[in-house]
Amino acid sequence: MQKTKQVVVIGVVGALVAVLLAQPIKGLVNDKEEAQTSAPTANSSEFNLENVSQMSKQGLNSSLIEEISDIEAQITKSSAEEKVSLLQQLADKWDDLAKPAPQGFVYEEMAKTSPKLEYWLKAGQAYRAAYTNLQDTTLAQSLNQNAIRAFENAVKLDGSNLDAKTGLGAAMVSGTNNPMAGIALLREVVAADPKNIEANKTLGLFSLQSRQFDKAIERFKTVIALKPDAESYFYLATGYENIGLKNEAIAAFQQAKQLAADPTLSQFIDRRIEELSK
């Protein structure tokens, strides 16, 4: 099932890059124009575990829907002691299906039932994974705000936790009108742990989005030196391509293709290499 989730993530990378470069971060680009724009005001209360679960069940086969619904029914009848265990089963089920949106709500419910750093952290990470793959929708904005809330609760429980700070910083950049506060948190993480993969990757993505391609390249080179993967090579290639370093871009795209588990991404890379080779 891990391979399935990897394919889902890698398969959307090409589409995400196009959106990434087309949507500057508020407060980092076009400051004068963006200063007149309010932050997203999605009402988080309009989305909850029940209705997001129903949305996420669409397209699943009947046996999977029945399995999930059975666990949900058990939760409604469970004692406090049983509830967290059943919620974990439900979270695992959504994880197997690569459906992070309902998983985020499940982990938040676990955190409210049994306040633990682990649950708030997993809630924030699931919400973040979900809104990252949704583009400019009310649900994405709502999940972004949920992620901020979850990571804030995680930081309250452990102010030194770098995963919580990384998640909060990333969520603040995309979900508030004060992105520099989020960037500052991410830089704080890198200062404490220069080899922090997630913080470096996140800063690299925001550098791409704000069209600071030289900075993005350095971030992704750091990530690749620590843990090479198709996604990071793809973003590195995108950085090179945007500053006119065609040979370097082609080499990075080829590395991405070699590591990719998704034929759709491989085909996209082939087209990019063909264009760059002209």
Side-chain angles (χ1 to χ4, degrees):
M1 192 59 68
Q2 182 64 35
K3 184 176 180 181
T4 300
K5 288 184 283 185
Q6 181 185 23
V7 170
V8 170
V9 172
I10 293 175
V12 299
V13 170
L16 284 178
V17 167
V19 175
L20 195 72
L21 299 180
Q23 296 181 348
I25 302 171
K26 292 181 180 180
L28 295 184
V29 180
N30 298 330
D31 291 333
K32 184 175 180 180
E33 178 182 341
E34 295 295 348
Q36 301 172 5
T37 306
S38 60
T41 56
N43 183 2
S44 297
S45 63
E46 67 183 279
F47 297 106
N48 53 49
L49 176 55
E50 183 178 358
N51 57 32
V52 171
S53 175
Q54 289 302 315
M55 286 188 285
S56 300
K57 288 175 184 175
Q58 295 177 15
L60 299 180
N61 65 51
S62 58
S63 62
L64 285 172
I65 294 174
E66 186 176 348
E67 288 177 29
I68 294 168
S69 298
D70 181 59
I71 298 172
E72 290 172 336
Q74 291 181 60
I75 290 170
T76 61
K77 302 174 184 177
S78 65
S79 66
E81 293 180 354
E82 298 170 327
K83 187 175 182 180
V84 171
S85 177
L86 288 167
L87 284 167
Q88 184 64 66
Q89 290 181 40
L90 187 57
D92 291 342
K93 180 63 67 176
W94 286 123
D95 186 51
D96 287 343
L97 295 169
K99 299 278 189 179
Q103 188 185 24
F105 283 98
V106 173
Y107 274 120
E108 180 165 0
E109 186 63 27
M110 291 171 69
K112 290 176 179 177
T113 304
S114 177
K116 291 183 180 180
L117 171 66
E118 174 190 2
Y119 298 153
W120 281 120
L121 195 55
K122 287 184 175 180
Q125 289 167 340
Y127 284 137
R128 185 181 168 208
Y131 75 70
T132 299
N133 291 331
L134 293 170
Q135 303 305 325
D136 194 26
T137 67
T138 303
L139 176 58
Q141 293 175 10
S142 179
L143 294 173
N144 198 156
Q145 298 308 306
N146 288 359
I148 291 173
R149 181 178 65 249
F151 285 126
E152 283 177 339
N153 278 294
V155 170
K156 286 177 184 177
L157 290 173
D158 183 359
S160 65
N161 188 283
L162 298 184
D163 289 338
K165 286 185 175 182
T166 298
L168 179 57
M172 288 174 66
V173 171
S174 56
T176 73
N177 267 351
N178 186 18
M180 289 312 300
I183 295 292
L185 264 180
L186 291 166
R187 287 175 176 164
E188 185 180 322
V189 171
V190 172
D193 178 14
K195 295 184 178 181
N196 189 290
I197 292 174
E198 188 60 29
N200 274 294
K201 182 178 286 190
T202 303
L203 284 168
L205 284 170
F206 291 142
S207 293
L208 279 181
Q209 195 169 353
S210 57
R211 310 192 75 80
Q212 300 178 74
F213 299 115
D214 289 335
K215 290 183 179 180
I217 287 167
E218 291 307 310
R219 292 293 182 189
F220 286 113
K221 285 169 69 175
T222 297
V223 171
I224 288 167
L226 296 167
K227 187 179 179 182
D229 59 46
E231 183 181 1
S232 296
Y233 269 115
F234 189 97
Y235 290 133
L236 176 63
T238 301
Y240 281 136
E241 181 180 1
N242 277 277
I243 61 172
L245 295 179
K246 291 186 177 183
N247 291 335
E248 289 83 351
I250 289 171
F253 274 132
Q254 288 172 335
Q255 289 291 332
K257 180 181 177 180
Q258 186 176 343
L259 293 171
D262 179 25
T264 301
L265 180 59
S266 295
Q267 292 169 10
F268 182 88
I269 289 172
D270 285 339
R271 292 196 297 271
R272 297 303 314 129
I273 291 175
E274 183 179 352
E275 286 294 320
L276 289 167
S277 299
K278 291 179 179 178

